[in-house]
């Protein structure tokens, strides 16, 4: 036997970031609403909550009811680390996340996510781009092009989308990449000042960047796999290829 392709992918990704000075941390899969949303500049009623359809859990302790849910992203772990650790901080957190949505070729109700955050003095967008370019070079190969363009995420400002050249058509355009030539790798940006303040960090003293990526998406981008459900179909003809 051997490791499942998703776990092999996580080990490889984590090893790359470890070599760049990032520590690996873990956190609870059943998370407080505060760390999953409020600490990340996503208050009640924020429209981006609609994009993270959640599995909510009724939980009561000695203080009364506390809203909890199955975490929708590992950015919640980064929020915990920032609130409990003195800078400099460089961590990545891999693990399962859960979203209440229908399964299709690119979506599952459970998948693996890796989040990373760095906090220190004099951090800039150049540090973020250099880190992610280096990761892409090591994981996908030096010949694959990488693209950054503006995007919105409530916990970063400015925010960027990172995309990698399509492995199937090599940028020419095909049905796998919707004829764009690019496939999204993840999101990133400079951590929002409000997120820093909620973690007890002064954004006038410290700067931070953060990034996140779906772990199943990495081998899909590397090998041109078209359906995420293949990883969990238990078909040995597929799994033995890795």
């Amino acid at each position: 036997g051997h490791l499942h392709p998703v776990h092999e992918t996580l080990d490889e990704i984590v090893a790359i970031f470890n070599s760049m000075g990032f520590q690996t941390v873990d956190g609870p899969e059943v998370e407080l609403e505060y760390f999953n949303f409020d600490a990340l500049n996503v208050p009640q009623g924020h429209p981006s909550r609609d994009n993270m359809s959640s599995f909510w859990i009724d939980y009561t302790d000695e203080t009364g009811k506390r809203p909890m849910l199955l975490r929708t992203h590992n950015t919640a772990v980064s929020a915990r680390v920032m609130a409990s650790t003195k800078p400099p901080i460089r961590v990545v957190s891999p693990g399962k996340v859960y979203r209440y949505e229908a399964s299709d070729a690119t979506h599952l109700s459970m998948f693996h996510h890796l989040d990373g955050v760095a906090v220190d003095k004099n951090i800039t967008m150049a540090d973020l781009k250099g880190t992610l370019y280096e990761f892409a070079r090591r994981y996908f190969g030096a010949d694959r092009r990488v693209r950054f363009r503006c995007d919105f995420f409530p916990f970063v400002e400015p925010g960027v989308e990172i995309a990698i050249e399509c492995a199937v058509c090599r940028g020419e355009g095909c049905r796998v990449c919707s004829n764009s030539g690019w496939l999204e790798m993840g999101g990133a940006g400079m951590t929002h000042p409000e997120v820093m303040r909620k973690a007890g960090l002064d954004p006038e003293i410290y700067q931070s960047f953060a990034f996140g990526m779906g772990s199943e998406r990495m081998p899909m981008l590397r090998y041109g796999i078209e359906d995420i459900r293949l990883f969990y179909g238990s078909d040995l003809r597929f799994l033995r290829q890795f």
Side-chain angles (χ1 to χ4, degrees):
H2 57 80
L3 287 174
H4 190 277
V6 172
H7 291 140
E8 286 185 331
T9 298
L10 281 170
D11 287 349
E12 185 176 357
I13 293 172
V14 167
I16 292 171
F17 283 112
N18 287 166
S19 73
M20 290 192 279
F22 286 79
Q23 294 179 297
T24 307
V25 297
D26 197 8
E29 293 182 22
V30 180
E31 184 57 274
L32 291 169
E33 178 186 29
Y34 176 79
F35 287 111
N36 199 86
F37 290 125
D38 299 278
L40 298 171
N41 201 33
V42 188
Q44 285 281 358
H46 195 287
S48 68
R49 286 202 185 198
D50 296 336
N51 297 329
M52 300 186 187
S53 303
S54 309
F55 292 97
W56 289 94
I57 296 169
D58 289 330
Y59 172 71
T60 304
D61 61 11
E62 62 276 3
T63 64
K65 281 196 172 184
R66 304 181 72 189
M68 299 190 77
L69 70 159
L70 296 181
R71 65 187 181 194
T72 59
H73 50 184
N74 268 20
T75 317
V77 182
S78 296
R80 284 179 173 271
V81 171
M82 291 173 66
S84 61
T85 308
K86 184 178 179 180
I89 300 168
R90 284 175 179 79
V91 297
V92 289
S93 53
K96 295 176 184 175
V97 296
Y98 305 85
R99 298 188 185 177
Y100 184 61
E101 56 189 12
S103 297
D104 59 27
T106 57
H107 297 87
L108 291 172
S109 58
M110 184 284 296
F111 59 98
H112 292 76
H113 183 249
L114 180 132
D115 198 82
V117 66
V119 183
D120 206 344
K121 296 179 180 178
N122 302 315
I123 283 183
T124 69
M125 179 69 82
D127 298 304
L128 168 63
K129 292 182 72 174
T131 299
L132 294 179
Y133 269 130
E134 178 65 10
F135 165 76
R137 184 187 69 80
R138 292 200 204 176
Y139 185 79
F140 295 105
D143 61 330
R144 295 284 292 279
R145 293 183 298 162
V146 182
R147 181 186 72 183
F148 284 78
R149 66 179 183 181
C150 295
D151 204 346
F152 170 76
F153 304 97
F155 30 84
V156 292
E157 180 61 42
V160 295
E161 172 209 89
I162 318 113
I164 193 82
E165 183 182 57
C166 179
V168 177
C169 66
R170 290 293 177 169
E172 295 296 323
C174 65
R175 68 186 185 90
V176 174
C177 60
S178 301
N179 293 312
S180 69
W182 299 91
L183 291 166
E184 183 183 352
M185 187 173 84
M190 301 301 292
T191 304
H192 197 289
E194 187 61 27
V195 175
M196 301 279 285
R197 293 188 190 99
K198 286 183 179 293
L201 300 170
D202 187 344
E204 298 297 323
I205 298 175
Y206 295 105
Q207 295 77 45
S208 169
F209 68 73
F211 55 88
M213 57 189 74
S215 303
E216 285 85 351
R217 183 171 286 271
M218 296 301 105
M220 292 177 75
L221 294 174
R222 179 191 264 182
Y223 302 115
I225 298 167
E226 299 181 23
D227 196 322
I228 193 173
R229 293 170 293 191
L230 289 169
F231 289 111
Y232 299 103
S234 300
D235 188 333
L236 293 179
R237 294 172 299 176
F238 173 77
L239 297 175
R240 282 174 176 155
Q241 296 179 63
F242 304 94

